[in-house]
Amino acid sequence: MVDYHAANQSYQYGPSSAGNGAGGGGSMGDYMAQEDDWDRDLLLDPAWEKQQRKTFTAWCNSHLRKAGTQIENIDEDFRDGLKLMLLLEVISGERLPKPERGKMRVHKINNVNKALDFIASKGVKLVSIGAEEIVDGNAKMTLGMIWTIILRFAIQDISVEETSAKEGLLLWCQRKTAPYKNVNVQNFHISWKDGLAFNALIHRHRPELIEYDKLRKDDPVTNLNNAFEVAEKYLDIPKMLDAEDIVNTARPDEKAIMTYVSSFYHAFSGAQKAETAANRICKVLAVNQENEHLMEDYERLASDLLEWIRRTIPWLEDRVPQKTIQEMQQKLEDFRDYRRVHKPPKVQEKCQLEINFNTLQTKLRLSNRPAFMPSEGRMVSDINNCWQHLEQAEKGYEEWLLNEIRRLERLDHLAEKFRQKASIHEAWTDGKEAMLKHRDYETATLSDIKALIRKHEAFESDLAAHQDRVEQIAAIAQELNELDYYDSHNVNTRCQKICDQWDALGSLTHSRREALEKTEKQLETIDQLHLEYAKRAAPFNNWMESAMEDLQDMFIVHTIEEIEGLISAHDQFKSTLPDADREREAILAIHKEAQRIAESNHIKLSGSNPYTTVTPQIINSKWEKVQQLVPKRDHALLEEQSKQQSNEHLRRQFASQANIVGPWIQTKMEEIGRISIEMNGTLEDQLSHLKQYERSIVDYKPNLDLLEQQHQLIQEALIFDNKHTNYTMEHIRVGWEQLLTTIARTINEVENQILTRDAKGISQEQMQEFRASFNHFDKKQTGSMDSDDFRALLISTGYSLGDAEFNRIMSVVDPNHSGLVTFQAFIDFMSRETTDTDTADQVIASFKVLAGDKNFITAEELRRELPPDQAEYCIARMAPYQGPDAAPGALDYKSFSTALYGESDL
């Protein structure tokens, strides 16, 4: 700006502010020839001169006040050229040469010449206007010069339908006032005398300021005063004429009216610019608000899903076994509920979250916004990592549960076997210690001693026969300990008691034998027959006890082969029964022979065999028990055989269905892969085809449900393997989830392509050309390509690439540096290269219009120009303006606009 302080210390001016702009050079000759009718003779009309003085003075002051000054007398205050130069700087927004400091006439003439030269540089022909006349205060020349400035800077650039200057301004007035009764604008003098045209212009643009229907054509003074007062109060248009000046003049001054009307034009033209700027800002803010809403939804959904995963993983990682089969089976049922009920919705949520994320990123790219970066720990990759951790924790959990159930089943079987054998052994040992401690040999006869010795030998034989059972009991207890049986303490206590008692029996047996053998020398009579009976009866009795024990022994099998092996062993046992029966008959015959000899020799027997407690009744009783247990064992084995046959049927049934569903899922995955890279029809056709394909997949779900039902029957039957198929339910479930996720992602990719096409105005032919080019260079047909193939693709589309430019493009299409470029990234790039979007610079320019050309904006201005919610949105996010020209409450709209698009856009 001109240094007016240095040139004339009497003027105190503020900083310059750009006004209407200088505009193009343009020739002034076209309209100066027409407007040269400001002929000096007409200015001699006192009424017109008064109107021009008042109008031109008000017009000049409306601009000079921006520099903090004004004029009082138009032909006096421009004489030194200083305020004239200042006026030109304000209305043009350009700097003029530095004015001269002196106050002499030559200095004033030089300053005025600088102003006139500047006017001439804008293509204006100054007819008969010289600096000396302005310096001398020639009113006629001064008014002519100001009119020339008004024409050039306020009227010349007005254009409506290729007209300019006066005709353009007149046409604008005619169009704006056409709907109003009693208004007929044909010129810039008589047409404005009744004031209705002024009021119509205001009402057309600001209807809330004027009650037009209440105005009367026969009251021009009231009409004019109303228009002038409203314009000054609400439109910042200074009052340039008095109503009486116009009404009391037969023909108002045309130049005064044109000057006044041009101020209305510029006031409302500025409002139109502000409205356009506000509309642009509103559109940008609406996009930003929608994107922020989508970001908040993503953050919330991601947090919920991550929280569910974090709650679930510890449950799946808890491998602490329970004590009973029932508790472990409940955990298995809980796990089934998790797989069938709880996890599938979360799989859908995870897939939907990825789709939402991709859609959001597409919208951000289409609106030229920076990519969305979720808060720490909520990236899609973070969710995928957590999901992998979940599946890792889930992996093996079901197998662990089944193994634990199998282990507990084995433990229960062993524990019951231990109790049975321990009970049998404890029953056998009952009273044995007392018997071994009895000192009956001290008063016995020789025959009694012989009998006692033989009886003791029989007992030793019996004792040795029980050694195997004691070892079995100890072995079972040891196995229960190794398998971590929950009741091992009681088992060990009972086992230890049996072993201690067994050791005691051994010691007592040895002591009694020594005592009997010591006495044997004195006792010689032995009843050989009874002894033979006792010796043969004892092992046979033990054999029957073992047979009964084996026939009642519990068994557990998992395959048809195992039960058939038990049936075969049982059949082999039954084949030995005839020999056993003959042994029984032989033993009973010995007893009968002893009775026959005693009877024939008149020997009175004491009744029972002194060498054994195993009587013929006991042998017959146990033999009968064996005979009863054999068919029961037959029944149990056949029942188990039926169960295993049923299990085999379940295996084959599951395998038959799994061998259909598994390959079907694999085939569909391969077909989707082919569809995603093919180019058949429009994107809408492809989308429709994919959705039909998706429905066909969803319609296949009952086959999966049937397989789940068959799998549940297999698990309920505790079937742990299946040799008829390589597919497990786990494989099928994972494949199904991948199939649903893949088709959903493929549909989303096409939807995003449609979104990109429509937002960027890409034609179907362009989209097909993009797809054909991409498929040609997608050598592996995977839907993505490496950087070398992508470079070849760009070159084929006409790009001339250096390394720096290619690296820039790669940073756009592959921001994560994965080394791969997807089709979506490719069309995003091509659409950005071929279409235009709102930019940060455009938004900054729009805010500048609303701010009245200031470098900052206030909350009041935002609330006045924007809808309430968007105004408050801006106010809450704009930082205070820190520039040197900051005013109280100033807000920084530049940094806010930059943030909307990211640093890279400016």
Side-chain angles (χ1 to χ4, degrees):
M1 174 174 283
V2 173
D3 186 1
Y4 295 99
H5 295 280
N8 190 339
Q9 296 299 324
S10 65
Y11 297 114
Q12 299 294 324
Y13 302 136
S16 175
S17 169
N20 294 313
S27 174
M28 288 290 290
D30 295 340
Y31 68 85
M32 279 305 297
Q34 302 167 13
E35 299 302 336
D36 201 27
D37 59 359
W38 69 275
D39 183 46
R40 295 161 182 77
D41 295 333
L42 295 179
L43 287 174
L44 298 178
D45 186 322
W48 283 15
E49 183 177 346
K50 178 183 177 183
Q51 290 176 26
Q52 287 186 11
R53 278 180 177 276
K54 186 177 295 185
T55 304
F56 292 178
T57 299
W59 183 87
C60 290
N61 283 335
S62 71
H63 295 286
L64 286 172
R65 68 183 179 183
K66 297 175 184 177
T69 188
Q70 63 179 12
I71 61 172
E72 299 294 338
N73 190 322
I74 198 167
D75 50 353
E76 289 293 329
D77 292 349
F78 285 137
R79 290 179 63 184
D80 60 4
L82 292 177
K83 288 191 177 181
L84 179 60
M85 293 179 73
L86 179 59
L87 174 65
L88 291 171
E89 280 200 346
V90 170
I91 63 177
S92 69
E94 300 181 30
R95 288 183 178 275
L96 270 69
K98 185 177 180 180
E100 298 188 9
R101 297 178 179 275
K103 297 183 179 181
M104 299 175 62
R105 176 178 173 82
V106 64
H107 297 139
K108 296 179 181 181
I109 289 174
N110 288 340
N111 288 338
V112 173
N113 274 328
K114 289 177 181 180
L116 296 178
D117 289 342
F118 178 79
I119 296 171
S121 72
K122 299 302 177 182
V124 178
K125 295 179 181 179
L126 296 169
V127 181
S128 303
I129 298 177
E132 292 82 357
E133 293 169 305
I134 305 301
V135 172
D136 291 338
N138 186 315
K140 181 168 55 176
M141 291 299 176
T142 301
L143 290 173
M145 177 188 66
I146 297 302
W147 173 241
T148 300
I149 293 172
I150 292 171
L151 277 175
R152 173 60 185 84
F153 292 101
I155 299 176
Q156 176 187 346
D157 293 333
I158 298 174
S159 177
V160 179
E161 291 189 356
E162 300 182 359
T163 63
S164 61
K166 179 178 178 180
E167 291 79 8
L169 184 59
L170 184 63
L171 181 57
W172 178 78
C173 294
Q174 289 171 340
R175 287 189 172 179
K176 294 299 181 181
T177 60
Y180 294 87
K181 62 181 180 179
N182 297 325
V183 177
N184 183 18
V185 177
Q186 297 297 324
N187 50 55
F188 286 109
H189 38 80
I190 301 300
S191 297
W192 302 84
K193 282 194 67 174
D194 59 11
L196 290 178
F198 283 108
N199 282 278
L201 278 181
I202 297 173
H203 186 269
R204 180 65 181 272
H205 293 92
R206 297 286 299 276
E208 75 279 8
L209 299 180
I210 299 287
E211 293 183 291
Y212 186 84
D213 292 339
K214 295 184 178 180
L215 300 177
R216 292 167 38 216
K217 187 173 180 65
D218 59 358
D219 191 1
V221 173
T222 300
N223 297 341
L224 289 166
N225 282 330
N226 182 66
F228 296 163
E229 289 167 5
V230 168
E232 186 169 38
K233 183 176 180 180
Y234 296 103
L235 304 178
D236 199 28
I237 298 174
K239 188 175 181 180
M240 298 183 181
L241 289 171
D242 290 327
E244 290 75 13
D245 293 339
I246 298 176
V247 173
N248 295 332
T249 304
R251 185 174 184 269
D253 180 60
E254 188 173 49
K255 296 174 179 59
I257 298 295
M258 281 182 67
T259 301
Y260 213 158
V261 171
S262 70
S263 296
F264 282 86
Y265 173 86
H266 289 295
F268 294 132
S269 175
Q272 182 63 37
K273 290 180 181 178
E275 182 179 352
T276 301
N279 288 338
R280 178 185 291 275
I281 291 170
C282 288
K283 182 182 73 172
V284 170
L285 293 179
V287 169
N288 231 56
Q289 287 171 306
E290 180 186 2
N291 290 340
E292 285 185 0
H293 178 67
L294 293 175
M295 293 175 191
E296 291 168 0
D297 284 349
Y298 174 89
E299 291 280 350
R300 176 178 53 78
L301 291 174
S303 296
D304 291 347
L305 182 57
L306 287 171
E307 178 60 26
W308 178 82
I309 293 173
R310 293 188 181 108
R311 288 199 315 269
T312 305
I313 286 176
W315 174 67
L316 292 171
E317 291 179 338
D318 179 15
R319 305 294 169 91
V320 178
Q322 303 299 309
K323 293 182 178 181
T324 67
I325 291 180
Q326 291 73 23
E327 291 174 314
M328 290 304 296
Q329 284 177 334
Q330 183 57 51
K331 288 177 75 70
L332 180 61
E333 187 60 33
D334 292 342
F335 182 71
R336 288 200 195 106
D337 286 342
Y338 158 78
R339 290 309 306 265
R340 291 195 306 263
V341 178
H342 301 296
K343 186 183 178 186
K346 298 303 177 183
V347 173
Q348 293 299 320
E349 287 180 19
K350 175 177 174 292
C351 178
Q352 190 60 48
L353 198 63
E354 292 182 15
I355 289 172
N356 290 353
F357 181 85
N358 293 335
T359 301
L360 173 58
Q361 298 294 40
T362 299
K363 288 186 175 182
L364 289 171
R365 286 193 297 271
L366 294 178
S367 57
N368 209 17
R369 302 299 197 277
F372 169 52
M373 288 295 293
S375 57
E376 186 175 358
R378 293 183 177 87
M379 295 283 291
V380 170
S381 58
D382 295 325
I383 295 172
N384 285 334
N385 289 337
C386 287
W387 191 264
Q388 290 176 3
H389 189 185
L390 173 75
E391 294 190 328
Q392 189 64 33
E394 182 181 316
K395 185 178 181 182
Y397 185 73
E398 186 175 26
E399 182 181 355
W400 172 77
L401 288 172
L402 294 174
N403 286 337
E404 274 302 309
I405 291 173
R406 190 180 300 178
R407 184 182 71 84
L408 290 174
E409 185 180 42
R410 172 70 175 162
L411 282 175
D412 283 358
H413 171 71
L414 289 174
E416 183 60 30
K417 193 169 186 177
F418 173 84
R419 286 190 287 271
Q420 283 187 3
K421 290 187 178 293
S423 297
I424 292 171
H425 178 76
E426 288 164 346
W428 177 82
T429 60
D430 185 38
K432 294 295 189 293
E433 287 190 31
M435 181 271 290
L436 291 171
K437 292 177 180 178
H438 192 216
R439 302 178 69 85
D440 53 346
Y441 53 85
E442 293 181 346
T443 59
T445 64
L446 180 61
S447 61
D448 291 335
I449 288 299
K450 291 287 187 182
L452 288 175
I453 289 175
R454 300 298 180 266
K455 182 179 180 181
H456 189 69
E457 289 175 350
F459 173 76
E460 286 181 323
S461 176
D462 197 11
L463 185 67
H466 279 79
Q467 175 71 31
D468 182 62
R469 181 180 291 113
V470 174
E471 290 175 354
Q472 288 180 9
I473 290 172
I476 293 172
Q478 178 63 28
E479 188 172 358
L480 287 171
N481 280 321
E482 291 173 354
L483 293 176
D484 195 22
Y485 182 52
Y486 77 94
D487 200 22
S488 291
H489 173 72
N490 290 330
V491 169
N492 292 337
T493 300
R494 190 172 183 181
C495 181
Q496 189 61 47
K497 183 178 178 181
I498 290 172
C499 291
D500 291 344
Q501 186 186 40
W502 183 254
D503 293 338
L505 287 175
S507 177
L508 289 171
T509 299
H510 180 70
S511 298
R512 184 171 177 83
R513 167 172 277 283
E514 287 181 345
L516 291 173
E517 287 177 348
K518 184 178 180 181
T519 312
E520 185 181 12
K521 295 177 182 179
Q522 305 169 9
L523 304 172
E524 296 177 354
T525 306
I526 297 173
D527 189 344
Q528 291 294 333
L529 198 57
H530 277 184
L531 181 59
E532 183 181 358
Y533 173 89
K535 286 183 177 180
R536 293 182 68 173
F540 184 72
N541 183 61
N542 286 335
W543 176 85
M544 288 192 296
E545 287 181 347
S546 296
M548 288 189 293
E549 184 177 345
D550 290 341
L551 289 170
Q552 296 178 85
D553 191 17
M554 295 188 305
F555 56 83
I556 179 171
V557 296
H558 297 97
T559 66
I560 191 71
E561 291 79 12
E562 291 176 353
I563 188 61
E564 288 175 351
L566 290 179
I567 291 174
S568 176
H570 182 60
D571 289 342
Q572 186 176 358
F573 166 76
K574 288 193 294 184
S575 69
T576 66
L577 289 179
D579 290 338
D581 192 31
R582 286 190 287 273
E583 176 66 10
R584 181 182 66 84
E585 292 291 345
I587 292 171
L588 293 178
I590 293 172
H591 177 72
K592 290 177 181 179
E593 180 66 16
Q595 288 181 331
R596 187 189 64 76
I597 293 173
E599 291 174 358
S600 63
N601 292 287
H602 305 289
I603 298 172
K604 187 177 181 180
L605 299 177
S606 60
S608 60
N609 190 326
Y611 305 117
T612 181
T613 59
V614 181
T615 65
Q617 291 78 15
I618 290 175
I619 289 176
N620 286 330
S621 174
K622 290 185 177 180
W623 178 256
E624 184 179 351
K625 181 68 173 177
V626 169
Q627 294 294 99
Q628 293 172 351
L629 289 174
V630 167
K632 289 183 179 179
R633 184 73 167 182
D634 285 335
H635 177 73
L637 290 172
L638 290 175
E639 191 176 58
E640 181 64 27
Q641 184 183 39
S642 175
K643 174 185 173 183
Q644 291 304 323
Q645 288 172 343
S646 174
N647 287 354
E648 183 67 8
H649 172 72
L650 290 176
R651 288 188 183 94
R652 292 181 182 276
Q653 180 177 263
F654 175 83
S656 175
Q657 182 71 1
N659 289 337
I660 294 173
V661 173
W664 183 89
I665 290 176
Q666 181 63 33
T667 299
K668 292 303 177 184
M669 287 290 289
E670 294 170 357
E671 290 177 358
I672 292 172
R674 289 196 299 271
I675 290 173
S676 65
I677 62 174
E678 290 176 352
M679 181 180 59
N680 296 322
T682 66
L683 288 176
E684 284 76 10
D685 292 339
Q686 296 175 38
L687 183 61
S688 175
H689 180 54
L690 283 170
K691 288 188 175 179
Q692 289 176 0
Y693 206 80
E694 183 182 40
R695 285 193 292 273
S696 72
I697 291 174
V698 173
D699 291 342
Y700 195 76
K701 181 66 163 53
N703 294 282
L704 201 74
D705 295 338
L706 175 60
L707 199 60
E708 284 282 8
Q709 294 169 8
Q710 294 171 348
H711 178 64
Q712 183 167 349
L713 292 175
I714 280 181
Q715 288 197 325
E716 289 171 352
L718 297 179
I719 299 171
F720 302 111
D721 51 30
N722 193 339
K723 65 182 179 181
H724 304 298
T725 181
N726 292 325
Y727 293 100
T728 66
M729 197 63 230
E730 177 67 19
H731 293 150
I732 298 294
R733 290 186 190 118
V734 171
W736 179 255
E737 290 170 2
Q738 289 177 346
L739 180 61
L740 292 177
T741 300
T742 300
I743 188 64
R745 285 174 179 164
T746 305
I747 288 173
N748 179 247
E749 288 175 2
V750 176
E751 289 173 338
N752 284 342
Q753 291 172 26
I754 292 174
L755 187 63
T756 301
R757 182 199 66 192
D758 295 343
K760 296 297 186 178
I762 302 173
S763 68
Q764 181 63 35
E765 290 73 19
Q766 285 179 300
M767 187 63 75
Q768 289 178 338
E769 183 180 345
F770 290 158
R771 170 55 82 180
S773 299
F774 189 88
N775 286 349
H776 177 75
F777 289 93
D778 182 10
K779 309 285 188 198
K780 302 181 181 64
Q781 297 296 294
T782 60
S784 59
M785 62 180 66
D786 59 28
S787 58
D788 291 339
D789 289 341
F790 183 62
R791 181 191 287 268
L793 170 58
L794 290 179
I795 292 173
S796 74
T797 59
Y799 278 85
S800 178
L801 294 173
D803 288 341
E805 174 63 10
F806 181 69
N807 291 335
R808 179 193 72 80
I809 294 174
M810 282 301 295
S811 69
V812 173
V813 298
D814 183 23
N816 296 323
H817 307 293
S818 66
L820 295 174
V821 181
T822 64
F823 178 65
Q824 183 63 45
F826 170 61
I827 62 171
D828 284 345
F829 169 74
M830 294 302 293
S831 63
R832 180 178 293 189
E833 292 291 306
T834 57
T835 58
D836 185 27
T837 59
D838 288 323
T839 66
D841 285 338
Q842 291 172 325
V843 174
I844 290 173
S846 297
F847 272 117
K848 190 168 187 177
V849 171
L850 300 187
D853 213 36
K854 300 190 300 295
N855 291 321
F856 59 84
I857 196 166
T858 65
E860 180 182 356
E861 289 169 331
L862 286 169
R863 291 190 177 104
R864 183 179 69 236
E865 301 292 348
L866 299 178
D869 61 328
Q870 294 189 332
E872 298 305 323
Y873 178 85
C874 294
I875 293 167
R877 287 163 174 75
M878 282 187 183
Y881 177 69
Q882 304 294 339
D885 54 338
L891 299 173
D892 187 351
Y893 60 77
K894 291 184 179 179
S895 62
F896 171 74
S897 301
T898 301
L900 290 178
Y901 288 86
E903 291 293 337
S904 63
D905 289 284
L906 289 182

